[in-house]
C-alpha cells in the first residue's frame, strides 16, 4: 500500500448505529481513500472485520439480518446472560467469510478489556468470532468470554480508539470515528441504566485517550437515528448518515492522509 494511505480507521462502539461506518467507508472509497487497517471495539469491532473482509454494503446488511434470530437467546437459566455467547460465537463464525485475522485481505484489530487486569488488550491473531463476541460482552446481555486463558469483556470499558496501540504497529495516522452520539429516542428502565453505564465508560476513556494518546482526527456522527425501522430500512438510513458525515470531513481527511 502507498505510504500516503498509511492510516488506520478506528471505530468506537455503538450497537446497530455502527452501520453508519459502512456509509463512511463507502464515501472514502469514492475519493480513493483506503485505510491500511481497521480497528474497533464492541459494535465497531464487528464492522471493522466486515469492512476488512471487503464485503459489499448489501452483504453487510444481510449479515446483520442473519444475526437477528431467536436461536441465540439463552435458554439455560443456569447461565447469567440474555444472549448465549457460545451460540452467538458459532453463528458469527458461520457467517464470516474469513475465520482468522491472518486470512483477512485488509488487516483488522479488535480491542477488548482484560477484566482481570482491568486494562485494554488488542487482539491481532487467531479466531475472529470469539474476539468479536468478547469485545461486545456486556453483562447481563453477554457474560465475559474466556479466550486463550484470559477473561475478556466489552472493549468500551477500557479503550476508546486505541491510537497508542495502532501507532505502535507503525501506522502513521489514526482517524477515529464515534457513533455514540446517534440518538435512539427515549430509552427507559433496564436499558436506560445499561446505556448510562456504557456512556459513562466511553466518556471517561475518551477524555483520557484524547488527552494522552490523541488520534489525528476525531469524528463524531451525531445525527438523530430513527428507532422503529426494520433492520434493512434502519441500516440504509444509518449508512446515509455515515456517507453524509464523511463527505463533510473528506477535505480534512485528505490533508491528514496526504501530509
Amino acid at each position: 500500500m502507498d505510504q500516503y494511505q498509511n492510516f488506520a480507521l478506528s471505530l468506537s462502539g455503538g450497537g446497530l448505529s455502527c452501520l453508519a461506518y459502512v456509509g463512511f467507508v463507502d464515501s472514502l472509497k469514492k475519493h480513493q481513500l483506503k485505510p491500511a487497517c481497521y480497528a474497533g471495539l464492541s459494535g465497531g469491532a464487528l464492522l471493522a472485520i466486515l469492512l476488512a473482509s471487503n464485503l459489499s454494503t448489501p452483504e453487510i446488511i444481510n449479515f446483520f439480518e442473519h444475526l437477528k434470530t431467536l436461536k441465540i437467546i439463552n435458554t439455560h437459566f443456569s447461565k447469567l446472560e440474555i444472549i448465549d455467547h457460545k451460540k452467538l460465537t458459532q453463528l458469527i463464525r458461520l457467517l464470516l467469510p474469513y475465520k482468522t485475522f491472518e486470512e483477512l485481505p485488509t488487516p483488522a484489530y479488535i480491542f477488548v478489556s482484560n477484566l482481570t487486569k482491568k486494562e485494554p488488550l488488542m487482539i491481532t491473531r487467531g479466531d475472529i468470532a470469539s474476539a468479536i463476541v468478547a469485545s461486545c460482552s456486556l453483562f447481563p446481555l453477554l457474560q465475559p468470554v474466556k479466550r486463550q486463558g484470559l477473561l475478556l469483556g466489552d472493549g468500551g470499558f477500557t479503550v476508546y480508539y486505541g491510537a497508542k496501540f495502532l501507532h505502535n504497529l507503525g501506522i502513521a495516522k489514526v482517524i477515529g470515528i464515534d457513533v455514540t452520539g446517534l440518538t435512539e429516542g427515549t430509552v427507559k428502565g433496564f436499558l436506560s441504566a445499561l446505556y448510562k453505564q456504557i456512556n459513562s465508560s466511553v466518556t471517561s476513556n475518551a477524555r483520557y485517550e484524547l488527552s494522552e494518546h490523541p488520534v489525528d482526527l476525531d469524528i463524531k456522527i451525531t445525527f438523530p437515528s430513527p428507532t422503529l425501522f426494520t433492520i434493512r430500512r434502519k441500516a440504509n438510513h444509518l449508512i446515509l448518515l455515515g456517507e453524509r458525515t464523511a463527505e463533510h470531513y473528506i477535505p480534512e481527511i485528505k490533508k491528514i492522509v496526504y501530509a
Side-chain angles (χ1 to χ4, degrees):
M1 178 167 294
D2 296 334
Q3 179 151 359
Y4 63 77
Q5 291 184 317
N6 187 17
F7 74 101
L9 210 58
S10 186
L11 314 175
S12 191
L16 193 61
S17 294
C18 289
L19 279 165
Y21 298 140
V22 179
F24 194 97
V25 172
D26 281 346
S27 183
L28 291 185
K29 290 178 180 177
K30 292 176 184 177
H31 293 271
Q32 290 75 52
L33 292 165
K34 183 179 179 181
C37 68
Y38 295 93
L41 60 91
S42 195
L46 176 55
L47 265 299
I49 295 299
L50 298 182
L51 291 167
S53 299
N54 293 334
L55 293 186
S56 67
T57 295
E59 287 173 329
I60 292 176
I61 294 175
N62 285 336
F63 187 100
F64 274 83
E65 287 187 322
H66 280 96
L67 283 182
K68 188 182 179 182
T69 172
L70 294 177
K71 294 180 180 179
I72 61 174
I73 298 298
N74 175 34
T75 56
H76 301 281
F77 294 106
S78 60
K79 295 181 180 179
L80 299 177
E81 57 182 352
I82 297 173
I83 298 174
D84 189 313
H85 74 279
K86 291 185 178 179
K87 292 180 181 178
L88 179 59
T89 302
Q90 291 171 355
L91 178 59
I92 290 176
R93 188 177 292 123
L94 177 66
L95 295 174
L96 288 174
Y98 304 98
K99 313 306 179 184
T100 67
F101 286 88
E102 291 84 351
E103 297 175 73
L104 291 170
T106 301
Y109 312 108
I110 290 178
F111 294 111
V112 298
S113 296
N114 183 334
L115 299 180
T116 303
K117 295 185 177 181
K118 297 181 180 180
E119 62 184 20
L121 176 69
M122 185 170 70
I123 300 178
T124 63
R125 302 182 63 82
D127 180 63
I128 293 174
S130 60
I132 290 173
V133 175
S135 189
C136 297
S137 291
L138 183 67
F139 182 82
L141 294 179
L142 284 164
Q143 68 180 20
V145 172
K146 292 181 179 179
R147 188 180 191 274
Q148 297 181 347
L150 301 175
L151 189 63
L152 307 176
D154 193 288
F157 284 125
T158 56
V159 70
Y160 186 49
Y161 289 136
K164 175 180 71 173
F165 294 90
L166 296 168
H167 284 142
N168 287 343
L169 291 177
I171 304 299
K173 306 288 183 179
V174 178
I175 296 173
I177 317 176
D178 180 24
V179 292
T180 56
L182 282 173
T183 57
E184 290 287 342
T186 303
V187 180
K188 298 180 180 180
F190 158 73
L191 286 179
S192 176
L194 189 60
Y195 281 2
K196 286 181 180 178
Q197 179 187 18
I198 297 170
N199 289 334
S200 176
S201 295
V202 170
T203 301
S204 176
N205 292 332
R207 188 181 300 114
Y208 168 76
E209 279 200 24
L210 294 178
S211 172
E212 300 296 324
H213 306 288
V215 291
D216 296 277
L217 181 60
D218 178 21
I219 298 174
K220 302 287 194 293
I221 301 179
T222 57
F223 294 101
S225 173
T227 303
L228 301 177
F229 279 0
T230 63
I231 283 184
R232 184 166 293 272
R233 288 184 64 196
K234 187 176 178 69
N236 288 329
H237 183 81
L238 289 165
I239 290 167
L240 181 62
L241 297 182
E243 290 177 351
R244 189 182 306 172
T245 302
E247 289 299 325
H248 176 77
Y249 280 97
I250 285 296
E252 196 168 353
I253 292 172
K254 285 185 175 180
K255 286 181 181 178
I256 291 172
V257 172
Y258 291 101

